């Protein structure tokens, strides 16, 4: 685990946020929900993450999937009643968190997420939710605020290097040791667009066959993470958060990380 408190905070909140979906984790509470609502797959992912935003903002803010997928799924997402569906997902994820972590979540999580205005439209939409009275549901909402704020700050850092959303997705996959091509296919990007993005990364000297990062690519990607950490610490400082280290220390054991 990184020693940087901003990165440790990101790791802890990611673990909570992934209770919401069926990407990596397969929690029975979420499985029961999507079976009941017949919302399996990307309709669930899009609606549960973006469902408090106007429809015309979904494509711009989800970023990891192409606009064609959002357009294709929007009628189904609309049928789910997005604002209400978000509340259903929070309830299910809160139940999963309570089962996995029965004690009350650390109070530091609420202080970090609700100490003042947050950056980024998607993070702000989650911050605008009233804190649920159930502490585990509240921890899910607060984790989403912090996760989406960091995502916004990460894209801002990456914008300084002129990456497209797809190029950044593939760069991140390679940095995490995942095959970038299949990652692009997982998020339903057309094969030709994935190949074009990989070619652009290779032409910049950031990736080499067989689609792995060059030393320059690894250095740049790590620099992006450092820049994101710096922006995250500044955002928390703007909310009056002083000593980040002890607050993040309360979160380190969340979900037995």
């Amino acid at each position: 685990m990184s020693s940087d408190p901003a990165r440790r905070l990101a790791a802890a909140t990611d673990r909570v946020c992934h209770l919401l979906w069926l990407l990596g984790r397969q929690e029975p509470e979420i499985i029961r929900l999507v079976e009941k609502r017949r919302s399996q797959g990307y309709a669930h992912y899009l609606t549960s993450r973006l469902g408090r935003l106007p429809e015309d903002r979904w494509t711009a803010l989800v970023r990891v999937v192409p606009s064609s997928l959002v357009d294709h799924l929007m009628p189904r997402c609309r049928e789910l009643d997005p604002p209400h569906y978000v509340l259903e997902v929070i309830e299910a994820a809160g139940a999963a968190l309570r089962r996995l972590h029965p004690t009350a979540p650390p109070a530091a999580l609420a202080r970090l997420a609700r100490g003042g205005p947050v950056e980024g439209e998607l993070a702000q939409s989650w911050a605008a939710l009233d804190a649920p009275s159930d502490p585990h549901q509240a921890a899910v909402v607060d984790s989403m605020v912090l996760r989406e704020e960091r995502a916004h700050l990460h894209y801002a850092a990456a914008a300084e290097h002129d990456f497209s959303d797809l190029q950044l997705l593939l760069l991140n996959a390679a940095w995490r040791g995942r095959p970038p091509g299949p990652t692009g296919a997982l998020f339903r990007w057309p094969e030709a667009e994935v190949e074009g993005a990989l070619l652009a990364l290779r032409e910049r000297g950031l990736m080499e066959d067989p689609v792995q990062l060059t030393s320059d690519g690894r250095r740049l990607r790590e620099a992006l993470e450092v820049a994101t950490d710096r922006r995250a610490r500044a955002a928390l400082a703007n909310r009056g958060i002083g000593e980040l280290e002890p607050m993040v220390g309360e979160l380190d054991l969340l979900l037995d990380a």
Side-chain angles (χ1 to χ4, degrees), residues 14-87:
D14 269 358
R15 290 190 293 273
V16 176
C17 293
H18 277 85
L19 297 173
L20 289 158
W21 307 303
L22 296 172
L23 302 173
R25 304 188 71 97
Q26 301 285 318
E27 303 303 337
E29 294 84 355
I30 300 297
I31 292 173
R32 286 194 293 269
L33 172 64
V34 299
E35 288 177 345
K36 180 185 78 171
R37 297 287 255 114
R38 298 181 180 179
S39 52
Q40 181 80 36
Y42 276 103
H44 166 76
Y45 172 72
L46 291 171
T47 310
S48 62
R49 188 176 169 206
L50 298 150
R52 289 182 49 79
L53 293 167
E55 291 178 8
D56 61 3
R57 298 299 298 147
W58 286 29
T59 297
L61 294 173
V62 68
R63 306 190 72 153
V64 294
V65 301
S67 60
S68 58
L69 180 63
V70 180
D71 292 341
H72 174 71
L73 289 174
M74 187 56 75
R76 176 66 187 120
C77 294
R78 193 179 295 125
E79 290 172 359
L80 293 173
D81 184 10
H84 185 263
Y85 190 80
V86 170
L87 298 179

Side-chain angles (χ1 to χ4, degrees), residues 87-214:
L87 298 179
E88 287 188 85
V89 175
I90 293 169
E91 183 178 356
L97 180 59
R98 188 182 309 111
R99 171 175 51 81
L100 293 164
H101 190 80
T103 59
L109 194 55
R111 296 199 302 273
L112 289 163
R114 297 186 177 272
V118 299
E119 296 191 35
E121 187 177 349
L122 186 48
Q124 289 162 2
S125 76
W126 280 87
L129 271 168
D130 291 335
S133 58
D134 178 272
H136 290 86
Q137 293 180 30
V140 171
V141 173
D142 292 339
S143 294
M144 280 297 293
V145 171
L146 293 165
R147 180 185 191 271
E148 297 300 348
E149 179 176 57
R150 184 179 176 91
H152 168 77
L153 298 171
H154 180 63
Y155 282 112
E160 296 182 0
H161 298 273
D162 198 28
F163 289 118
S164 71
D165 289 343
L166 178 54
Q167 289 170 15
L168 184 60
L169 175 69
L170 302 178
L171 185 75
N172 286 344
W175 183 67
R176 295 185 174 103
R178 301 170 188 161
T183 296
L186 172 67
F187 285 99
R188 303 296 191 267
W189 288 90
E191 183 178 355
E193 292 188 39
V194 172
E195 288 303 317
L198 289 172
L199 177 60
L201 292 171
R202 286 195 288 269
E203 289 177 342
R204 292 178 63 171
L206 304 177
M207 196 171 284
E208 60 189 355
D209 291 329
V211 291
Q212 61 185 8
L213 294 182
T214 63

